[in-house]
């Protein structure tokens, strides 16, 4: 008789709700109404939703910063009130308000010690991650002098610092440049290979397309849809082709040919090179 | 604010420069007093405001990167308190060092309290003479008796007194004439010998009416070292300051920074004028102004400080937990 193997869940969220008391009359405001989802270990979940839909609140509950008002939430097999569980969670908050007076390396030292890493390991991993996100030269620069994009890069480094088993990324691409996007893609790829569970929230459909196993759509504090990104975003059979060297006059011929082949075209417009091409030294002059 | 504090301090020095006590050590004491008061008035509000704001930040903006870590809230609060306490120690040691350098090389040893003196008035036949029977001090090291005085300016702004302090049995005595012009206590040296003592105060000529509340009389003995005033004061103020800092961290998690700072500064001022083991800052500073050394903190004071710090840190943790559940 074969025994069915129980799925190993990274997150089990059942009817999780969160409300705040606001104003002088302590009026109740619901941030999350009911979130039900089970996420297995090693999954990469995209989280989408309009502003104020409760994405960040749910992430804060998962990170153990706040506790739910009702429902049950199990993260990595336990409660986030337990330090051992929190040690396995990496979190990149939406606003990244790291101490502005600390340098990048000093801040990583502090965060490493708060995560229970020894100083030597923190320094080794911290320096490697700073190099990875392109901040080696700014290792001693105070975070208050960082631009928004540099802070997002630093945020990625601190989220990966203690090799967590669950990584929560709240809008990691906001303010990131093209190189930063590339770094994030590589980090996500590695996380996937190592079996790390990742939840990534974003407003950009492009962030979910490539690597996400499932896309969860949150509206009004509830998950209204959960499924494969290609299915939810209607990506099947939909292609975006960049063509270089085609004269403007011949684009009509191409469109006519596509229509004769029974294909619907929704956007044909002139584009140029990717911005990241321009960042490479001498690339603009050579073309 | 700081300029006002310094101006007040300098005015206070000028007002307290007149002294009926040992003048040499008082000059050094006034200098110490000036530096201590300036340092405390500048540093204390700043440290309190920073600590309240810091813990409020832990609850609001910093929670995202700090509270998701493995370290418990108790660890975060207690290590924050420890950091603030170290900053306070450094600041107070700086003040103490500046006070000692500022005071220069005082040749006279400062005094410190050696317990209350028991005086009972006895009738006197002579007009203008008051006699007190005085129990011998319990501490053999006591060398002087201090009597607080009050003045009622009926016949002038000051009064002249002759003090005669004698041994009842052996008859040895010390005698001194004093011009009492301020409310500072008057001091008389204990005569050699042993046994019960008698104090006679004789009014010389016309002048203000002098009131002697004998129940507040105290014995004084030499302090163990010249650095004693600043060292004991540093210890006492450090203890008070680190207790206040624990409460600053606590209030920051329960209310807005401005409200928390205001409340704690009000409490600090109330402690300054109030009593209790951690209170009477004013009295401590008065000791320094007189060139005296305050007594080292008692075990009870240590106990109260420890309990207050523990309660403050515990309430700060509760405040952070409340913030998480809110």
């Amino acid at each position: 008789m074969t025994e069915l193997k129980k799925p190993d869940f990274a997150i089990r969220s059942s009817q999780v709700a969160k409300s705040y008391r606001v104003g002088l009359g302590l009026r109740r405001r619901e941030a999350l109404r009911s979130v039900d989802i089970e996420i297995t270990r090693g999954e990469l979940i995209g989280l989408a939703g309009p502003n104020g839909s409760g994405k960040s609140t749910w992430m804060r509950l998962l990170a153990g910063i706040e506790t739910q008002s009702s429902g049950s939430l199990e993260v990595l097999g336990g409660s986030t009130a337990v330090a051992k569980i929190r040690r396995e969670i990496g979190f990149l908050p939406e606003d990244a308000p790291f101490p502005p007076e600390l340098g990048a390396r000093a801040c990583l030292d502090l965060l490493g010690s708060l995560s229970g890493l020894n100083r030597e390991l923190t320094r080794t991993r911290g320096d490697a991650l700073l190099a990875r996100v392109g901040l080696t030269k700014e290792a001693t620069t105070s975070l208050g002098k960082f631009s928004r994009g540099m802070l997002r890069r630093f945020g990625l480094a601190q989220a990966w610092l203690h090799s967590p088993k669950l990584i929560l990324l709240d809008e990691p691409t906001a303010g990131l440049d093209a190189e930063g996007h590339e770094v994030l893609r590589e980090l996500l790829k590695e996380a996937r290979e190592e079996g790390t569970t990742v939840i990534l929230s974003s407003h950009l459909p492009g962030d979910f397309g490539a690597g996400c196993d499932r896309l969860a759509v949150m509206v009004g504090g509830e998950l209204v849809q959960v499924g494969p990104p290609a299915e939810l975003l209607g990506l099947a059979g939909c292609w975006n082709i960049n063509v270089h060297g085609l004269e403007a006059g011949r684009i009509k011929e191409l469109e006519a040919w596509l229509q004769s082949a029974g294909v619907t075209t929704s956007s044909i417009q002139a584009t140029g090179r990717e911005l990241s091409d321009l960042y490479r030294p001498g690339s603009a002059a050579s073309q | 604010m700081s300029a006002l504090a310094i101006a007040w301090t300098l005015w206070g020095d000028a007002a307290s420069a007149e002294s009926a006590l040992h003048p040499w050590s008082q000059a050094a004491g006034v200098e110490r007093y000036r530096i201590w008061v300036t340092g405390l008035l500048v540093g204390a509000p700043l440290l309190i405001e920073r600590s309240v704001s810091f813990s409020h930040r832990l609850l609001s903006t910093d929670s995202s990167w700090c509270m998701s870590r493995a370290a418990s809230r108790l660890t975060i609060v207690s290590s924050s308190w420890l950091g603030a306490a170290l900053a306070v120690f450094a600041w107070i040691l700086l003040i103490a060092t500046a006070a000692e350098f500022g005071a220069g090389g005082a040749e006279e040893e400062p005094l410190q309290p050696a317990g209350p003196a028991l005086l009972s008035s006895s009738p006197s036949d002579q007009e203008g003479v008051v006699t007190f029977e005085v129990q011998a001090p319990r501490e053999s090291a006591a060398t002087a008796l201090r009597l607080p005085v009050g003045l009622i300016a009926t016949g002038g702004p000051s009064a002249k007194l002759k003090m005669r302090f004698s041994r009842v049995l052996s008859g040895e005595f010390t005698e001194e004439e004093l011009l009492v012009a301020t409310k500072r206590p008057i001091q008389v040296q204990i005569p050699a010998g042993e046994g019960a003592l008698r104090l006679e105060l004789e009014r010389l000529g016309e002048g203000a009416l002098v009131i002697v509340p004998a129940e507040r009389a105290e014995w004084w003995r030499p302090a163990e070292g010249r650095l004693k005033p600043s060292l004991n004061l540093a210890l006492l103020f450090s203890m008070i300051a680190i207790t206040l800092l624990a409460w600053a961290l606590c209030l920051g998690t329960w209310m807005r920074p401005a409200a928390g700072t205001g409340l704690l500064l009000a409490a600090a001022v109330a402690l300054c004028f109030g009593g209790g083991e951690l209170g009477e800052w004013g009295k401590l500073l008065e000791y320094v102004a007189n060139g005296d050394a305050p007594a080292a903190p008692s075990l009870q004071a240590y106990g109260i400080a420890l309990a207050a710090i523990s309660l403050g840190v515990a309430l700060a943790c509760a405040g952070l937990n409340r913030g998480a559940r809110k």
Side-chain angles (χ1 to χ4, degrees), chain B residues 223-264:
Chain B
E224 283 153 13
R226 198 175 62 74
L227 295 177
K228 206 74 177 172
S230 281
L231 284 178
N232 278 356
L233 208 64
L235 200 57
L236 279 161
F237 276 122
S238 295
M239 205 157 70
I240 293 167
I242 62 175
T243 307
L244 285 175
L245 284 181
W247 280 88
L249 289 173
C250 164
L251 292 179
T253 62
W254 287 88
M255 54 183 72
R256 291 182 185 282
T261 305
L263 191 63
L264 208 60

Side-chain angles (χ1 to χ4, degrees), chain A residues 16 19 29 33 88 102 130 161 174-175 203 226 241 250 265 273-274 276:
Chain A
V16 168
S19 56
R29 188 180 71 79
R33 289 171 67 189
E88 304 295 346
L102 291 183
L130 284 177
L161 179 67
H203 291 289
V226 180
I241 306 168
R250 298 194 63 195
T265 54
R273 285 188 290 268
E274 288 291 323
S276 55

Side-chain angles (χ1 to χ4, degrees), chain B:
Chain B
M1 176 74 182
S2 298
L4 196 66
I6 292 165
W8 180 82
T9 309
L10 294 174
W11 175 83
D13 294 342
S16 61
E18 298 281 332
S19 168
L21 299 179
H22 37 115
W24 208 101
S25 65
Q26 169 119 32
V30 167
E31 191 58 27
R32 280 197 192 98
Y33 173 88
R34 185 175 69 81
I35 294 168
W36 268 107
V37 173
T38 308
L40 290 176
L41 285 181
V42 172
L46 193 71
L47 278 163
I48 286 174
E49 194 275 329
R50 287 286 80 200
S51 300
V52 175
S53 304
F54 173 78
S55 63
H56 192 75
R57 254 175 61 181
L58 277 184
L59 192 69
S60 50
T61 54
D62 285 2
S63 67
S64 303
W65 63 266
C66 193
M67 296 302 160
S68 60
R69 300 282 156 179
S72 68
R73 291 187 164 95
L74 179 64
T75 308
I76 291 170
V77 172
S78 50
S79 56
S80 304
W81 170 80
L82 194 64
L86 285 175
V88 161
F89 273 129
W91 178 247
I92 286 181
L93 276 179
L94 193 71
I95 299 175
T97 309
E100 281 310 312
F101 276 109
E107 286 163 3
E108 196 171 323
E109 286 239 316
L111 299 180
Q112 68 179 58
L118 294 174
L119 275 71
S120 54
S121 63
S122 58
S124 173
D125 298 338
Q126 293 175 270
E127 197 182 337
V129 176
V130 179
T131 307
F132 294 99
E133 301 300 330
V134 186
Q135 275 187 20
R138 283 185 191 168
E139 269 202 49
S140 57
T143 56
L145 174 72
R146 274 193 199 168
L147 282 171
V149 289
L151 282 172
I152 300 174
T154 48
S158 61
K160 211 171 183 184
L161 290 181
K162 185 162 90 176
M163 295 175 72
R164 183 185 168 89
F165 204 18
S166 57
R167 294 282 178 188
V168 175
L169 292 177
S170 59
E172 286 164 304
F173 68 95
T174 56
E175 202 169 64
E176 202 170 343
E177 279 188 18
L178 290 174
L179 178 69
V180 181
T182 69
K183 289 194 293 180
R184 289 183 180 284
I186 53 177
Q187 178 175 307
V188 60
Q189 296 297 314
I190 303 175
E194 287 185 353
L197 295 142
R198 180 174 294 141
L199 177 70
E200 288 172 309
L201 298 176
E202 185 182 352
R203 181 186 185 80
L204 302 174
E206 292 298 311
L209 197 64
V210 180
I211 301 160
V212 181
E215 68 280 359
R216 281 165 45 205
E218 278 185 314
W219 297 113
W220 287 70
R221 65 179 174 81
E224 283 153 13
R226 198 175 62 74
L227 295 177
K228 206 74 177 172
S230 281
L231 284 178
N232 278 356
L233 208 64
L235 200 57
L236 279 161
F237 276 122
S238 295
M239 205 157 70
I240 293 167
I242 62 175
T243 307
L244 285 175
L245 284 181
W247 280 88
L249 289 173
C250 164
L251 292 179
T253 62
W254 287 88
M255 54 183 72
R256 291 182 185 282
T261 305
L263 191 63
L264 208 60
L265 284 175
V269 171
L271 270 177
C272 176
F273 295 110
E277 290 286 337
L278 293 178
E280 298 184 311
W281 299 20
K283 195 174 176 184
L284 293 177
L285 287 168
E286 199 177 298
Y287 281 160
V288 175
N290 286 336
D292 299 323
S298 64
L299 272 178
Q300 193 187 355
Y302 281 118
I304 290 171
L306 189 66
I309 289 167
S310 306
L311 187 63
V313 168
L315 285 175
C317 288
L320 287 181
N321 282 329
R322 173 181 158 270
R325 284 195 298 273
K326 200 165 62 176

